[in-house]
């Protein structure tokens, strides 16, 4: 039944509502620090103070605000809501105020998302369970921020795609591009992983069917049955140049206009990208110095009337003290910032998977804001640029990192992202169950007393096999960190796969990080140092013994009772039966995480002549295809490569 108010009752209710509303319009209209002396009052369904929006740092310039006050008050004077004297006071107060002399531009930023559409773990706080990241949650937060404050840019600092979990990787990261389109991403500076599948695939990510045809993958086609439209946001690549044309692969910068105030975002990847990417992925491209690239663009931007400049670079550093601190900062970004033109106002970084808020000196010795947020959608960085609207330049910056923890069943989700994930989940099932190899029994990651595991041996052999040939690394040995082996490979049937069938999903679960292989040159002495850095008490501060898995043909013995940094007898280190020469050079393969000194193996960062290779899961699949059925009992030298004394 529908209930209607009688006319008299409705009128009484309307009158009461108006009286209550008028009572809420109290005090005087204040413009910044200036009190106009004019009382606030109800004007229709709003307060006069709401119609005359005097919110600081939101107007494009002072003249806009004064004109707005003059126009708005003229209408109220005509309608006799204001008298002539009140209007004059308001216009005078507006003209003498600072409203519009500064504008706050906000930047929401992430980095190293790596296609992590789902949460990457949980955390329990006071009995409640929280998801870490997750595109459904992140999108809800980002959309709320973009709606609440229109002068906002949403940018990403590289490695948006590549090295992604199965849900995105199976579809060549199209799900991640579609998710970011839905979120409203505006800019992504290319990272090294954007080049994992080569330049043509990266161009497809940007342009999709705008390049002609349906925009889908040239081999796998339209896996979801629809055309792929590419990214609605802009990839930036200021320092990536096509050697044939001399032009950048993508635009060097994007200029955004905030109420007449221009801000340029210069985007780029690390100069060292070719050293950590498969050569075919960067063929025909050159990668320029980061600081030199920015400095060369500054005069060009000045000529276009841009004085506010933000650099978004997929390179970073390391710092301690927490996600909003910057103690003991080190790494490539320190040198890059130290060479930047004084026109740069802020630098958003990535690549090192760190979270920090720094003030670092530029070429002029002036401290500028440098930020980074941890990877996988686990952090959002909120940056505020305060612009002088007359000079059109940044006069102040602030930033804060927020860890994204979302209470399960409570935190809001973006329904559009949920639907996207559900769609690709259904499509992934048959691809996830594709058989890539065979085993005769469980391949266990459980280590023996010496620290060696059967699965570790298999993975190390796979990585050596993928990089031993000329042109692919010329490797003589491969090392694998045990923490990168996340699960056993079982034998019993899972679903409908059948006993002894290894699926792509299982391989991806074992190595879910999407690391690529890196082959480098180390001396025999550095290999000895690498082995010593496995143990607690050595100078690299290993928190516990972390025994690397080694490929067939390499062996050594370690003494549990030996002193720190001297547990391995150099004479016991052999390659194909011969002792290694401490002064000789050897080609060594590790994954990209280790190559940069991950897991405290700092000596690996000293490796030279680096060459990027295949992704680790692809190398594992290729080894299964080459070797045949893997039997843990008869596998060559399994559990015999590392020996332990005491």
């Amino acid at each position: 039944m529908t209930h209607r108010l009688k006319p008299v009752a409705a009128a009484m209710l309307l009158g009461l509502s108006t009286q209550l509303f008028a009572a809420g319009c109290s005090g005087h209209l204040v413009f910044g620090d200036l009190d106009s002396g004019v009382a606030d009052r109800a004007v229709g369904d709003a307060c006069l103070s709401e119609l005359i929006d005097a919110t600081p740092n939101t107007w494009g310039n002072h003249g806009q605000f004064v004109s707005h006050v003059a126009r708005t008050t003229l209408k109220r004077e005509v309608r006799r809501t204001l008298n002539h004297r009140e209007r004059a006071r308001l216009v005078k107060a507006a003209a003498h105020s600072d409203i519009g002399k500064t504008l706050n531009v906000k930047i929401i930023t992430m980095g190293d998302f790596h296609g992590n559409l789902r949460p990457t773990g949980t955390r329990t706080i006071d009995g409640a369970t929280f998801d870490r990241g997750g595109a459904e949650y992140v999108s809800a937060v980002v959309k709320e921020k973009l709606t609440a404050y229109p002068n906002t840019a949403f940018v990403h600092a590289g490695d948006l795609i590549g090295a992604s979990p199965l849900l995105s990787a199976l579809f060549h990261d199209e799900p991640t591009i579609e998710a970011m389109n839905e979120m409203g991403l505006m800019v992504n500076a290319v990272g090294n992983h954007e080049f994992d599948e080569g330049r043509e695939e990266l161009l497809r990510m940007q342009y999709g069917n705008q390049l002609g045809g349906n925009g889908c993958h040239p081999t796998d086609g339209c896996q979801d049955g629809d055309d792929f439209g590419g990214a609605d946001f802009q990839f930036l690549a200021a320092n990536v140049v096509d050697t044939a044309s001399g032009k950048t692969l993508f635009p060097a910068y994007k200029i955004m206009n905030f109420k007449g105030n221009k801000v340029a975002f210069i985007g780029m990847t690390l100069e060292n990208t070719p050293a950590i990417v498969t050569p075919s992925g960067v063929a025909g491209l050159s990668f320029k110095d980061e600081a030199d690239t920015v400095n060369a663009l500054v005069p060009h931007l000045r000529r276009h009337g841009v004085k506010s400049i933000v650099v978004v670079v997929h390179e970073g550093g390391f710092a301690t003290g927490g996600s909003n601190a910057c103690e003991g900062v080190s790494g490539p970004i320190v040198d890059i910032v130290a060479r930047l033109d004084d026109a740069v106002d802020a630098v958003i970084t990535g690549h090192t998977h760190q979270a920090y808020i720094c003030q670092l000196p530029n070429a002029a010795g002036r401290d500028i804001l440098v930020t980074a947020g941890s990877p996988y959608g686990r952090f959002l960085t909120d940056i505020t640029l305060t612009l002088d609207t007359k000079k059109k330049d940044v006069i102040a910056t602030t930033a804060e990192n927020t860890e994204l923890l979302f209470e399960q069943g409570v935190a809001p989700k973006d329904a559009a992202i949920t639907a996207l994930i559900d769609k690709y989940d259904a499509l992934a099932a048959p691809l996830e169950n594709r058989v890539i190899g065979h085993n005769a029994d469980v391949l266990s990651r459980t280590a023996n007393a010496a620290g060696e595991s059967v699965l570790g041996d298999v993975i190390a052999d796979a990585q050596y096999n993928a990089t031993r040939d000329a042109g692919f690394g010329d490797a003589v040995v491969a090392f694998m960190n045990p923490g990168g082996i996340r699960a056993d490979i079982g034998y019993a049937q899972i679903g409908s796969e059948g006993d002894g069938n290894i699926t792509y999903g299982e391989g991806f679960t074992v190595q879910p990080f999407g690391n690529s292989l890196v082959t480098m040159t180390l001396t025999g002495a550095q290999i000895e140092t690498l082995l010593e850095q496995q143990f607690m008490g050595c100078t690299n501060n290993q928190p516990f013994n972390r025994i690397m898995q080694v490929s067939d043909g390499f062996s050594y013995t370690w003494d549990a009772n030996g002193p720190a940094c001297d547990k391995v007898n150099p004479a016991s280190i052999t390659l194909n039966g011969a002792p290694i020469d401490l002064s000789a050079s050897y080609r060594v393969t590790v994954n990209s995480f280790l190559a940069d000194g991950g897991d405290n193996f700092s000596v690996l960062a000293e490796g030279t002549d680096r060459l990027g290779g295949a992704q680790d899961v692809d190398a594992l699949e290729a080894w299964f295809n080459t070797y045949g059925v893997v039997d843990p009992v008869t596998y060559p030298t399994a559990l015999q490569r590392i020996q332990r004394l005491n």
Side-chain angles (χ1 to χ4, degrees):
M1 180 181 296
T2 301
H3 296 278
R4 299 179 184 273
L5 288 172
K6 294 181 179 179
V8 174
M12 293 176 61
L13 181 59
L14 179 61
L16 179 59
S17 174
T18 302
Q19 293 173 21
L20 291 173
F21 185 80
C25 303
S26 59
H28 291 173
L29 275 76
V30 178
F31 300 155
D33 294 331
L34 291 180
D35 187 339
S36 69
V38 177
D40 198 7
R41 66 204 64 182
V43 180
D45 294 334
C47 292
L48 182 60
S49 57
E50 294 174 320
L51 298 177
I52 302 177
D53 179 10
T55 306
N57 300 312
T58 61
W59 286 89
N61 58 60
H62 183 59
Q64 286 180 4
F65 174 66
V66 175
S67 296
H68 161 74
V69 172
R71 289 193 306 270
T72 303
T73 55
L74 178 59
K75 292 179 182 178
R76 302 309 151 197
E77 182 182 359
V78 170
R79 297 176 184 177
R80 298 185 179 181
T81 306
L82 291 170
N83 61 41
H84 179 72
R85 180 176 293 181
E86 288 175 323
R87 179 178 180 250
R89 286 181 179 176
L90 289 172
V91 173
K92 181 179 180 180
H96 286 83
S97 75
D98 288 332
I99 303 297
K101 294 182 179 180
T102 58
L103 172 71
N104 282 350
V105 171
K106 297 185 179 295
I107 307 172
I108 309 168
T109 180
M110 298 190 299
D112 297 274
F113 186 72
H114 288 292
N116 279 270
L117 298 174
R118 293 196 185 97
T120 56
T122 61
R123 183 176 297 173
T124 301
I125 303 175
D126 296 331
T129 301
F130 294 81
D131 283 324
R132 302 188 68 192
E136 299 165 287
Y137 299 118
V138 174
S139 184
V141 171
V142 168
K143 285 183 175 180
E144 181 181 11
K145 289 177 178 288
L146 292 175
T147 300
Y149 200 92
N151 298 318
T152 301
F154 178 29
V155 306
H156 187 275
D159 282 4
L160 177 69
I161 56 176
S164 303
L166 194 64
L167 180 63
S168 187
L170 278 177
F171 306 97
H172 302 281
D173 281 315
E174 291 177 19
T176 296
I177 298 297
E178 293 173 8
M180 291 298 157
N181 287 345
E182 178 63 34
M183 283 191 207
L185 185 64
M186 300 169 187
V187 162
N188 177 51
V190 295
N192 53 286
H193 277 289
E194 266 82 4
F195 294 92
D196 284 345
E197 295 191 50
R199 84 152 81 182
E200 294 305 318
E201 177 64 2
L202 181 52
L203 289 170
R204 187 179 76 87
M205 291 291 99
Q206 174 72 87
Y207 300 111
N209 56 18
Q210 301 170 51
L211 295 177
N214 54 28
C216 297
H217 192 270
T219 301
D220 294 333
C222 301
Q223 293 167 281
D224 67 347
D226 296 325
D227 286 8
F228 177 62
D232 295 339
F233 51 91
Q234 180 65 63
F235 284 98
L236 298 178
N239 66 335
V240 184
V241 177
D242 182 289
T243 53
S245 68
K247 298 179 179 179
T248 57
L249 182 64
F250 294 114
Y253 58 84
K254 181 178 178 67
I255 297 174
M256 299 188 195
N257 193 315
F258 300 95
K259 295 185 175 179
N261 298 270
K262 297 178 180 179
V263 178
F265 293 83
I266 301 174
M268 67 186 74
T269 187
L270 68 159
E271 181 187 9
N272 201 39
T273 291
I276 53 176
V277 173
T278 304
S280 60
V282 293
L285 299 172
S286 62
F287 293 75
K288 306 301 183 182
D289 179 87
E290 302 93 340
D292 290 347
T293 298
V294 171
N295 293 343
L297 286 169
V298 168
H300 174 79
L301 291 171
R302 291 290 199 194
R303 289 193 294 270
H304 283 74
V306 179
K307 297 181 180 179
S308 300
I309 301 174
V310 177
V311 173
V312 188
V313 57
H314 189 69
E315 180 60 289
F318 303 88
T320 60
S323 61
N324 285 291
C326 187
E327 298 175 11
V329 62
S330 63
I333 197 62
V334 178
D335 173 67
I336 291 171
V337 173
R339 295 187 291 116
L340 288 179
D341 189 289
D342 197 36
V344 174
D345 299 295
V347 181
I348 299 166
T349 74
H351 187 55
T352 56
H353 290 198
Q354 302 292 302
Y356 48 76
I357 303 293
C358 298
Q359 293 284 337
L360 298 180
N362 64 10
R366 179 174 69 93
D367 284 349
I368 62 172
L369 178 68
V370 181
T371 71
S374 282
Y376 314 138
R378 293 177 176 177
F379 276 75
L380 272 184
T381 308
D382 285 276
I383 299 171
T384 300
L385 309 178
T386 301
L387 279 67
D388 182 317
T389 58
K390 184 176 182 179
K391 296 180 179 179
K392 306 296 183 183
D393 201 359
V394 174
I395 57 174
T397 59
T398 61
E400 182 179 16
N401 275 322
T402 302
E403 185 174 10
L404 298 181
L405 296 174
F406 303 100
E407 187 172 359
Q408 292 180 350
V410 175
K413 296 181 178 181
D414 183 339
I417 303 294
T418 301
L420 178 75
I421 291 173
D422 289 346
K423 179 184 76 171
Y424 282 106
D425 264 336
L427 293 169
L431 300 172
E432 186 174 0
N433 295 330
R434 178 172 61 85
V435 174
I436 63 171
H438 306 275
N439 57 329
D441 205 342
V442 175
L443 304 180
S444 174
R445 64 173 178 153
T446 301
N448 62 13
E452 184 179 353
S453 73
V454 171
L455 185 52
D457 290 341
V458 172
I459 291 173
D461 288 348
Q463 297 184 358
Y464 166 63
N465 177 70
T467 57
R468 66 182 179 179
D469 290 343
F472 288 85
D474 300 282
V476 296
V477 61
F479 296 93
M480 175 64 191
N481 55 316
I485 306 172
R486 309 300 290 182
D488 298 340
I489 293 181
Y491 172 75
Q493 174 174 310
I494 299 176
S496 59
E497 72 175 62
D499 291 350
N501 288 326
I502 303 170
T503 66
Y504 188 82
E506 287 180 278
F508 211 98
T509 300
V510 170
Q511 295 180 278
F513 301 109
N515 288 316
S516 55
L517 304 185
V518 179
T519 304
M520 63 181 70
T521 297
L522 295 178
T523 65
Q526 287 173 316
I527 291 176
E528 181 193 4
T529 298
L530 173 66
L531 298 179
E532 295 293 356
Q533 288 186 344
Q534 299 175 119
F535 305 106
M536 291 178 61
C538 202
T539 53
N540 60 317
N541 298 316
Q542 201 66 266
F544 49 82
N545 288 350
R546 185 179 268 135
I547 309 300
M548 298 271 249
Q549 308 301 289
V550 300
S551 57
D552 188 24
F554 186 91
S555 64
Y556 69 95
T557 300
W558 64 280
D559 187 347
N561 293 332
C565 295
D566 194 20
K567 293 185 181 294
V568 178
N569 181 354
S572 75
I573 308 172
T574 63
L575 180 63
N576 299 323
I580 67 166
D581 182 345
L582 297 183
S583 62
S585 295
Y586 299 88
R587 295 291 285 167
V588 173
T589 294
V590 294
N591 62 46
S592 52
F593 167 71
L594 288 172
D596 290 331
D599 276 349
N600 294 326
F601 290 104
S602 56
V603 70
L604 289 174
E606 301 172 9
T608 59
D609 299 322
R610 295 174 177 236
L611 182 67
Q615 287 197 318
D616 49 14
V617 177
D618 294 338
L620 185 62
E621 179 179 356
W623 179 237
F624 286 147
N625 290 333
T626 298
Y627 184 82
V629 179
V630 181
D631 186 337
V633 176
T634 61
Y635 192 77
T637 65
L639 301 178
Q640 300 173 33
R641 305 172 188 183
I642 305 172
Q643 303 298 320
R644 172 180 171 173
L645 299 176
N646 302 308

